[in-house]
Amino acid sequence: MPAVTAVPSVEGPDGPAYGHDGGKTVGVEVEDVPDISAEWYREVVAFAADTPAWVRHAMEIATDVVPALVVVFLAVGWWRARREDDRRMALALLAPVAVLVPYLASEGIKSLLRLRRPCWDLAGVVTVAPCPPYGDWSLPSNHATFAAAGAVALAVLWRRTAPAAGLLAVAEAFSRVFVGVHYPHDVVAGLLLGAVTAPLVLLVLRGPAVALVVTLRRRPVLAPVLTTRAGRLRVTRTERGLGAGPAIPRRKAPPHAR
């Protein structure tokens, strides 16, 4: 089937949407796509088309901003971990790895499965965002994978952020369907991939990462990247046996116990 090109429709009072000139499937059924997913996709996209223009524009921007926010929060986590112990710094350094590995896995799965985008095939669909070019496959959603893995990483760094990070990941997944570039099952698969893979990466690499941080923090060249001056003093005091507080004098045994 030829590639479907996204073309701007005639601009109305609420601003432009995007139509597609090569769609062939008029009904709900699509090959290799669960019927319920295709039906939900049409319902969400129809709902999106009925929202005010500012909502559509905001969602189109937000769907690509969330991954950038995750990166910013991970950078803040590294910066704050410079004042913390070796375990905390190891987790801060592992957090980007725990996000990158699921993302690369999603890219590999996409290339292996080569499943088509809904906006390539469904006729009469009007999407908020332009349809991605042919060859940018659908399952799983990279954005949903990235957001779920990022939520896990942020929850590990700051446990109190777990509810907000989880909601952000779900909102990102929904936005991919809202703007019209993914089926619902694409984003569910992405969420599951990120939520399962990221903790495994952290669990497997945590021990080696802590040992590596302990070694690297002792090197003057890397110390400013891995710790603050106060943190270096604290580490030095601990290594010298001064970090546990004043020593408690041992009581002498009574004469009859000698």
Side-chain angles (χ1 to χ4, degrees):
M1 187 175 291
V4 178
T5 305
V7 293
S9 66
V10 177
E11 185 167 354
D14 291 333
Y18 289 89
H20 308 288
D21 60 6
K24 300 296 182 182
T25 303
V26 177
V28 174
E29 294 184 4
V30 182
E31 185 179 359
D32 297 326
V33 175
D35 291 347
I36 191 171
S37 187
E39 181 179 355
W40 285 355
Y41 171 81
R42 284 188 176 277
E43 291 178 356
V44 172
V45 170
F47 166 76
D50 290 337
T51 58
W54 68 267
V55 173
R56 299 198 302 270
H57 294 323
M59 290 291 281
E60 185 177 5
I61 294 172
T63 194
D64 290 322
V65 167
V66 169
L69 286 178
V70 171
V71 172
V72 170
F73 286 133
L74 293 180
V76 172
W78 156 75
W79 185 261
R80 292 185 59 181
R82 294 164 64 244
R83 304 193 301 267
E84 305 293 338
D85 59 17
D86 297 330
R87 178 182 173 276
R88 179 67 64 177
M89 173 53 73
L91 290 176
L93 295 178
L94 277 181
V97 179
V99 175
L100 181 61
V101 169
Y103 176 82
L104 294 177
S106 71
E107 281 289 348
I109 295 172
K110 274 176 178 276
S111 300
L112 181 64
L113 297 180
R114 298 170 64 89
L115 295 178
R116 299 173 62 86
R117 299 264 183 174
C119 47
W120 294 350
D121 293 336
L122 295 178
V125 168
V126 178
T127 62
V128 173
C131 194
Y134 185 80
D136 186 355
W137 308 105
S138 190
L139 178 72
S141 165
N142 289 142
H143 284 69
T145 302
F146 194 97
V152 170
L154 292 176
V156 169
L157 292 177
W158 302 297
R159 292 183 181 179
R160 294 181 180 179
T161 67
L167 288 175
L168 185 65
V170 172
E172 171 67 0
F174 174 75
S175 75
R176 303 306 290 166
V177 182
F178 183 94
V179 300
V181 296
H182 276 293
Y183 288 110
H185 72 279
D186 295 339
V187 299
V188 171
L191 288 174
L192 291 175
L193 179 61
V196 171
T197 307
L200 291 177
V201 172
L202 292 171
L203 182 63
V204 171
L205 298 181
R206 181 178 58 185
V210 172
L212 182 61
V213 168
V214 171
T215 300
L216 295 180
R217 274 183 160 177
R218 295 173 180 170
R219 299 188 177 183
V221 176
L222 297 176
V225 179
L226 299 176
T227 185
T228 61
R229 183 175 182 275
R232 291 196 295 274
L233 291 175
R234 184 164 55 249
V235 170
T236 302
R237 288 178 59 86
T238 302
E239 290 176 347
R240 293 178 179 177
L242 303 176
I248 300 176
R250 297 179 60 185
R251 297 180 60 183
K252 294 182 178 181
H256 66 269
R258 295 180 181 176

